[in-house]
Amino acid sequence: MQPDLRGLTRADIETALTGLGEKPGNAGAVFLAVHRRGAVDLAQLPGVPARVARALARAFTLQPLPLPERKLVAADGTRKLLFRFPGNALAECVVLPGKDQQTACLSSQAGCACGCTFCATGALGLKRSLTPVEIVAQFEACLREAVDLRSLVFMGMGEPFLNWENVKKAIKILSDSRGRHFQQVKMTVSTVGVIPVIEELTTSDLRVRLAVSLVAADPGLRARLAPMENTYPLSRVLAAVREYCRARQAHVMLEYILLPGVNDRPSDSAQLAELIEGIPCRLNLIPFNPPGGPGVAAPRIKEFQQELIAAGVHAYLRQEKGADIAAACGQLAAGGDK
Ligand code: SF4
């Protein structure tokens, strides 16, 4: 089947037009027609010369944007949307209400291969990576739920850096001034620590923000909770993060999911503070949310935060949302939760 024009960045369209013997300068008008003017038919691309549209129709299709199959609404206003993409690839995205703005949390993969033991998505394994169109479809669905969407996080299902080429294309499509023009600085990509992509971002002209999930400071414990530690040890991940912050003059968001009795001892906070010392960061402490249910009490979370603050860390408690519809951090299981 021919590729879907919706999944092309403007630069991709320029290349395609050149290959079709057309002027690449028409790419902006094509992009505008598809992503802003709602074109649904390659024979009718508003503002695009008919000859160019005919040439594109020889090489591409223009499929309707996929729509969510189901929506759940939580008591706090969080909305979770379930998509069933081709090949029965299920993926969820979430709209998180805030005081002044709403945030879209998108999935990059249907399932995940990383196998973090505390995560419902990890328990599914990987079905497949999502295409740029499937990622854009989630954003558009979130936008229909929340016109005042102000930020976007890749913290849903999947490890975005293991589907980086497609996530990168989606970022470029969503931030293009001829499309949604959603600012890259309002986008955050979260990883459990895929070093080559952190290194790529360090020198990239993308302006997205980086978040890193720490899981545990102790390497042995981290390897048990997040097997990615065996490929990319946290000490090396944080060395890459330090270089990222230095080269870009940027802060990083660090995330630490608090598992009661597992990684919340005073020795854990001390080791954690030592490990991240000197990194310009904000550290979010996230209470553990068991698959399918509301969050468990995190008796040590405030003490843990105080221990980190006393050690000089900018530590914050993350307000968890949508736990009653299994939409909170670590709970996305593509319908397997209900
Ligand atoms: S926490 Fe993230 S990387 Fe780990 S299994 Fe879940 S989705 Fe994958």
Side-chain angles (χ1 to χ4, degrees):
M1 185 160 150
Q2 291 165 320
D4 190 341
L5 193 61
R6 284 185 203 285
L8 271 62
T9 64
R10 192 153 27 135
D12 291 337
I13 298 173
E14 284 174 7
T15 306
L17 287 174
T18 305
L20 291 165
E22 297 294 336
K23 291 199 183 99
N26 285 308
V30 173
F31 197 93
L32 191 71
V34 172
H35 293 283
R36 184 94 65 83
R37 293 187 169 163
V40 290
D41 186 350
L42 273 177
Q44 290 173 356
L45 291 178
V48 176
R51 192 195 66 253
V52 175
R54 276 197 304 276
L56 285 167
R58 290 201 300 274
F60 298 96
T61 61
L62 188 60
Q63 300 295 324
L65 208 55
L67 296 172
E69 177 179 285
R70 193 179 71 172
K71 173 167 98 172
L72 291 176
V73 182
D76 62 13
T78 301
R79 278 141 289 163
K80 181 168 79 166
L81 308 171
L82 171 73
F83 284 84
R84 187 181 300 274
F85 294 122
N88 211 23
L90 299 172
E92 291 172 327
C93 58
V94 181
V95 178
L96 299 152
K99 211 163 84 184
D100 311 311
Q101 60 170 39
Q102 310 215 40
T103 299
C105 176
L106 306 187
S107 292
S108 55
Q109 298 180 302
C112 184
C114 292
C116 301
T117 54
F118 50 84
C119 171
T121 309
L124 298 174
L126 177 67
K127 179 82 175 173
R128 70 167 169 82
S129 285
L130 300 181
T131 65
V133 173
E134 290 165 344
I135 296 170
V136 169
Q138 293 175 63
F139 177 86
E140 292 291 338
C142 289
L143 201 56
R144 285 192 293 276
E145 293 291 324
V147 282
D148 54 345
L149 213 53
R150 292 283 180 275
S151 55
L152 161 56
V153 295
F154 284 93
M155 294 185 185
M157 299 171 74
E159 163 55 65
F161 284 0
L162 293 183
N163 183 25
W164 182 230
E165 290 309 311
N166 286 351
V167 170
K168 198 162 46 177
K169 274 188 194 293
I171 288 169
K172 288 179 178 174
I173 291 169
L174 293 174
S175 59
D176 195 298
S177 61
R178 298 291 181 104
R180 286 295 177 195
H181 203 186
F182 198 88
Q183 286 182 56
Q184 290 185 5
V185 291
K186 301 286 184 186
M187 302 182 186
T188 302
V189 190
S190 176
T191 179
V192 76
V194 180
I195 294 173
V197 183
I198 297 174
E199 289 172 344
E200 182 192 318
L201 265 186
T202 299
T203 54
S204 152
D205 56 5
L206 289 182
R207 306 319 307 165
V208 293
R209 293 167 185 268
L210 173 67
V212 176
S213 180
L214 301 173
V215 185
D218 176 76
L221 177 58
R222 189 170 196 264
R224 283 200 297 282
L225 298 171
M228 183 75 87
E229 171 73 13
N230 297 315
T231 311
Y232 299 118
L234 188 57
S235 55
R236 283 180 42 214
V237 172
L238 292 179
V241 167
R242 284 177 199 278
E243 176 55 18
Y244 167 91
C245 294
R246 190 201 62 74
R248 298 187 68 129
Q249 296 287 294
H251 279 60
V252 66
M253 186 193 293
L254 300 178
E255 299 160 303
Y256 191 91
I257 187 160
L258 222 66
L259 305 163
V262 178
N263 66 353
D264 68 344
R265 299 158 300 179
S267 59
D268 292 310
S269 61
Q271 206 176 346
L272 179 59
E274 196 178 326
L275 196 65
I276 63 174
E277 192 184 355
I279 297 179
C281 67
R282 172 193 169 109
L283 176 75
N284 283 332
L285 295 172
I286 304 167
F288 172 57
N289 297 293
V296 292
R300 281 260 307 136
I301 196 161
K302 287 225 163 84
E303 281 169 35
F304 200 86
Q305 180 194 22
Q306 288 311 317
E307 288 158 11
L308 289 169
I309 290 172
V313 178
H314 298 286
Y316 298 82
L317 303 184
R318 187 150 99 198
Q319 185 94 42
E320 282 302 274
K321 303 205 173 94
D324 54 331
I325 55 165
C329 194
Q331 289 187 313
L332 297 185
D337 46 270
K338 291 274 159 179

